[in-house]
Structures are given as C-alpha cells and as structure tokens.
Amino acid sequence: MSTNTQNPKSLGNRVGSVQCDNTTLHLLKANDYVANAIRERLKDVCIINVCSSPGSGKTTLLQEIGKRLGKELNISVLVGDPETERDAVRMREVGINALQIVTGGMCHIEAQMILQALDHINLDGTDLLFIENVGNLLCPSAFDLGEDYRVTLIATTEGDDKPKKYPRMFLTSELMLVSKSDLLPYVPFSIEAVTKDAREVNPNLEVQTISTLNGEGIDEWCQWLKEKVQLKKEAAQQK
C-alpha cells in the first residue's frame, strides 16, 4: 500500500515512496542553541575541542599538557569515547580533573552531552577545559560544542592526504597539530604537502608540528594555549 495519499506524479515520487524532510539541519540548529548555552554558562573558561582520527595521540598529548601547565593553569578535561573510561583514568593519573562521556557507540559528541556532563564535573576555578572528542574526522566536524577553538591533530602515521578527504574538519578548525613528528624519518608523510592541502581548505589555519616523545613543539603549543586562556579572561572581564 502506498504511503503517499497525494498524486505521486505531482510529488515527483514513485508509487510506494514518501518524501522526507532532511532532519539533519534541524538537529544541528538545536545543537547550536545548546552550544550557545554552554558558552553563556562558561563565560570565563577557555574551551578547546580536540579532534582527530583514532590513535593520533590526543590523550597522550593532553597528559603532557597537564604535566607542563598543571601548576600554571587549572585544567579540566571531558573525554568522549564510545565505550570505557580508560582515557579519563589516564588524565586523573597525571592530576587532571577529568570526566568520561560514554557516547554508547555514537561517533561524535553533541552539545547536549557536554551540557549534561557539566552537572557532573566541578569546574570551579577552571581556566582551560579540553573536550577530547571521539576519534573521527567526519562526524565531529558538524557539531559545535560551545568551544572557543577547535584543534585537529593529524598524525604522521595516517598519511598527509586527510585535509582534502575530510575538508570540513579542517575548515572549522583554528589550529592543526601534526603529531608524532619523531616518526617523520620513517613514514611517507610530507609536512609541506599536508600544510598546503589544509590551507587550501582553510587559509587562516595555523599549523604546528609536535611530538610528545621528544618534546618537539610542545612548548610552542603550551604558549598558544596560555595566550588563548588570557584572551578569554580579558573578554570575560569586558562583558
């Protein structure tokens, strides 16, 4: 039996089909509303949304930042994963205030998850809040989480062609971190090529090269973070 009650020819549909609205845009509008509520709630906290493919080194990098900046900044982390609390445990092991967001198989974090998590983590005095997104270069790019900055890692082990394959992620990021630079002598990865592709997608994208193994670029990123925290505090004081 046809689901169309009108003349199917007038709708341009085949008999037995139904024309559906694209609900994605409605979902994203609702997500943006919640993201703005998060910004309003955390006016004086600098929020960094950290994205990447699985295995790029996000958790290890945030552990290193906790070790280096823990005495200068009050850092908290919301960690997103489909299952387990392992990454949040790793954060706590280095003294970072952390809460795991278990997405239950979802390939990204949505703003409503962050809003719910805020009721379960003490952010009093927090200067810098990291959101460690689910490892995925596709789905997370569409969801604003109330962040001030989006930082995307691309590891030298995953190839230098990702910016053109997943352009929206790089288009919506302020900074690209090329991680695992210590492996450059051993892998077919070009810093010049990945930077060129990324900036063709987003001409304003900043690029830094880092390694948590030998420390390359970590001081520079720490300085970048401290500058962004200071900018957020100054903006909050002006309101």
Side-chain angles (χ1 to χ4, degrees):
M1 181 177 178
S2 173
T3 55
N4 265 328
T5 57
Q6 302 181 52
N7 184 340
K9 291 183 178 179
S10 67
L11 296 175
N13 293 330
R14 295 177 301 171
V15 173
S17 66
V18 59
Q19 184 70 38
C20 296
D21 290 334
N22 185 339
T23 59
T24 302
L25 292 177
H26 301 300
L27 291 172
L28 291 178
K29 286 180 180 179
N31 182 86
D32 290 346
Y33 178 84
V34 178
N36 287 329
I38 293 169
R39 290 190 180 90
E40 188 66 23
R41 181 166 171 175
L42 302 179
K43 290 180 180 179
D44 58 349
V45 178
C46 183
I47 307 174
I48 309 289
N49 182 4
V50 183
C51 301
S52 78
S53 300
S56 66
K58 295 190 299 298
T59 304
T60 303
L61 177 61
L62 295 184
Q63 284 182 299
E64 185 65 23
I65 295 304
K67 295 174 185 176
R68 295 191 182 217
L69 294 181
K71 294 182 179 179
E72 296 181 56
L73 300 175
N74 191 334
I75 300 172
S76 297
V77 181
L78 294 174
V79 186
D81 266 318
E83 301 292 345
T84 84
E85 196 183 355
R86 292 181 178 179
D87 288 350
V89 170
R90 289 174 61 187
M91 298 297 176
R92 297 185 198 115
E93 288 174 348
V94 296
I96 299 175
N97 177 34
L99 177 69
Q100 187 81 40
I101 298 175
V102 179
T103 66
M106 289 184 65
C107 59
H108 61 277
I109 299 175
E110 297 179 4
Q112 55 88 10
M113 298 178 186
I114 300 297
L115 192 62
Q116 291 178 58
L118 294 183
D119 293 330
H120 299 276
I121 185 171
N122 183 1
L123 296 180
D124 291 347
T126 295
D127 302 302
L128 178 60
L129 173 63
F130 286 109
I131 300 171
E132 184 184 339
N133 220 313
V134 178
N136 188 334
L137 285 177
L138 188 60
C139 302
S141 66
F143 290 86
D144 182 357
L145 303 182
E147 70 262 27
D148 297 293
Y149 305 97
R150 179 174 292 177
V151 174
T152 295
L153 275 67
I154 179 168
T156 57
T157 51
E158 61 184 305
D160 53 27
D161 58 351
K162 296 299 181 291
K164 289 294 182 72
K165 287 187 173 182
Y166 304 95
R168 184 168 183 172
M169 180 59 78
F170 297 89
L171 180 63
T172 58
S173 296
E174 281 74 33
L175 173 65
M176 178 177 74
L177 294 177
V178 180
S179 63
K180 304 185 181 182
S181 63
D182 52 283
L183 295 177
L184 279 170
Y186 313 105
V187 294
F189 187 99
S190 167
I191 297 291
E192 293 75 16
V194 76
T195 301
K196 178 177 180 294
D197 277 0
R199 285 186 170 153
E200 285 180 1
V201 172
N202 180 358
N204 298 317
L205 187 68
E206 295 184 59
V207 179
Q208 295 182 18
T209 303
I210 59 169
S211 168
T212 54
L213 188 63
N214 63 24
E216 179 186 357
I218 302 298
D219 286 341
E220 288 79 3
W221 196 45
C222 285
Q223 184 60 37
W224 188 91
L225 290 168
K226 289 190 287 186
E227 290 173 359
K228 301 309 181 188
V229 168
Q230 184 60 34
L231 285 173
K232 185 63 179 286
K233 290 186 179 298
E234 292 174 357
Q237 291 170 359
Q238 293 172 5
K239 290 183 179 180

